[in-house]
Amino acid sequence: MVGLTASDVPPTMAVKIFSAGVAACVADVITFPLDTAKVRLQIQGECQTSSTIKYRGVLGTITTLAKTEGPMKLYSGLPAGLQRQISFASLRIGLYDTVQEFFSAGKETTAGLGSKISAGLTTGGVAVFIGQPTEVVKVRLQAQSHLHGLKPRYTGTYNAYRIIATTEGLTGLWKGTTPNLTRNVIINCTEIVTYDLMKEALVKNKLLADDLPCHFVSALIAGFCTTVLSSPVDVVKTRFVNSPPGQYTSVPSCAITMLTKEGPLAFFKGFVPSFLRLGSWNVIMFVCFEQLKRELMKSRQTMDCAT
């Protein structure tokens, strides 16, 4: 590798996993209030007696939450969110290239769309099973309110893990795995594959160099496409994961109840904050991911030269 620049040196799998985990945590910290607003908008209308407060729009929801429950409520569930990114994003994003190489092994040409989609399906599926408990706790902490005499179900992150495990069994921590698996398979395939294809097209056609502007545009387009395809299953996942035992008999039951009581538009509740969240999250994550990979490889190359 003598004479190669840092951008020419392919990052190792460990560097990709570490970079993906760190970048995802940075993106989560910055965009978490949008995610909380999305969850509140998605569950609105589920139980009319739970609160008289009506959330309207992204900024309206964030403002209302901050005024009625305090600014820190916007970050309720953040520890579980960071645990989720460490166990989830680091795998689904960090392992993507490695798994893609596996599916395209033996082929002389570069990885095709089939290999990219297969890699997205695989890494997304594996990551969901590992990180599902963190998703359940995150959503429930974001959804719970202490207003109007309502007693919070959980006092904190680890209290939530303990109560769910003791009252609903260990399977309770994997509640909603099916809709979450569907959601994240859609997200992973759309998000990573769209980003990969867009970056490849922009660089190949010499519209942009493989640098920050290219990463920004590719990530924003990937975020929009992902939001459109994943929104319906995301709303169902949020409703089902947040529901107390017995409210819905199954995931299809949850979807049918939403459709009959609230209409088709219920599946797109929280779409704007979902896009703002996914779009901004994608931009921050992919830009940080790409830059962090390069800096780590540059540091490694410098250390190799010194030794």
Side-chain angles (χ1 to χ4, degrees):
M1 294 194 299
V2 178
L4 293 176
T5 63
S7 59
D8 292 327
V9 180
T12 63
M13 184 173 71
V15 166
K16 291 176 185 176
I17 292 174
F18 177 79
S19 299
V22 172
C25 285
V26 171
D28 229 40
V29 170
I30 296 173
T31 64
F32 205 78
L34 290 170
D35 192 44
T36 301
K38 179 202 73 171
V39 169
R40 287 300 182 96
L41 284 168
Q42 286 178 335
I43 65 172
Q44 185 165 257
E46 182 178 37
C47 183
Q48 299 294 344
T49 60
S50 63
S51 175
T52 57
I53 291 178
K54 299 295 181 184
Y55 301 116
R56 299 182 185 279
V58 186
L59 292 178
T61 302
I62 291 175
T63 303
T64 301
L65 270 172
K67 286 181 178 179
T68 58
E69 300 183 51
M72 292 306 297
K73 187 61 186 178
L74 295 169
Y75 285 90
S76 181
L78 179 60
L82 296 179
Q83 291 166 7
R84 176 179 179 270
Q85 298 305 341
I86 292 170
S87 62
F88 179 70
S90 60
L91 295 179
R92 76 179 181 90
I93 298 168
L95 289 177
Y96 173 76
D97 287 338
T98 303
V99 176
Q100 184 185 153
E101 289 169 8
F102 170 79
F103 282 113
S104 60
K107 298 178 182 178
E108 295 181 2
T109 57
T110 56
L113 182 60
S115 296
K116 294 178 187 293
I117 293 175
S118 296
L121 288 169
T122 303
T123 59
V126 170
V128 166
F129 282 109
I130 294 174
Q132 183 64 16
T134 61
E135 173 77 11
V136 172
V137 171
K138 179 187 78 73
V139 168
R140 292 195 182 186
L141 287 173
Q142 288 176 306
Q144 74 174 7
S145 173
H146 59 74
L147 297 178
H148 308 292
L150 294 174
K151 184 179 178 181
R153 297 159 78 182
Y154 317 108
T155 58
T157 304
Y158 295 102
N159 175 258
Y161 282 119
R162 182 180 61 81
I163 290 178
I164 293 170
T166 54
T167 59
E168 302 177 43
L170 287 177
T171 55
L173 290 169
W174 271 267
K175 184 176 183 178
T177 298
T178 300
N180 200 32
L181 179 63
T182 306
R183 171 186 179 268
N184 279 294
V185 160
I186 292 172
I187 285 180
N188 211 42
C189 283
T190 310
E191 181 181 85
I192 300 180
V193 173
T194 302
Y195 175 80
D196 202 11
L197 291 172
M198 281 304 305
K199 187 176 78 167
E200 190 178 283
L202 290 171
V203 173
K204 186 177 180 181
N205 294 302
K206 297 181 180 180
L207 297 173
L208 290 171
D210 187 4
D211 215 333
L212 198 149
C214 175
H215 305 156
F216 180 92
V217 173
S218 301
L220 193 61
I221 293 173
F224 179 77
C225 293
T226 303
T227 307
V228 172
L229 292 177
S230 67
S231 188
V233 71
D234 187 31
V235 177
V236 174
K237 180 269 301 181
T238 299
R239 291 281 186 98
F240 188 74
V241 165
N242 184 59
S243 65
Q247 182 171 355
Y248 302 116
T249 57
S250 63
V251 175
S253 168
C254 177
I256 292 170
T257 300
M258 284 176 56
L259 180 63
T260 54
K261 289 187 176 182
E262 301 172 58
L265 290 179
F267 293 98
F268 289 91
K269 280 191 172 184
F271 180 84
V272 174
S274 288
F275 170 60
L276 291 176
R277 156 74 167 175
L278 268 176
S280 57
W281 192 93
N282 268 271
V283 168
I284 296 167
M285 195 285 298
F286 277 117
V287 168
C288 289
F289 177 53
E290 299 280 9
Q291 297 304 313
L292 190 55
K293 280 192 300 181
R294 292 185 180 186
E295 290 304 315
L296 288 173
M297 291 311 297
K298 189 185 295 182
S299 300
R300 180 178 176 179
Q301 192 176 13
T302 302
M303 291 176 64
D304 289 344
C305 292
T307 55

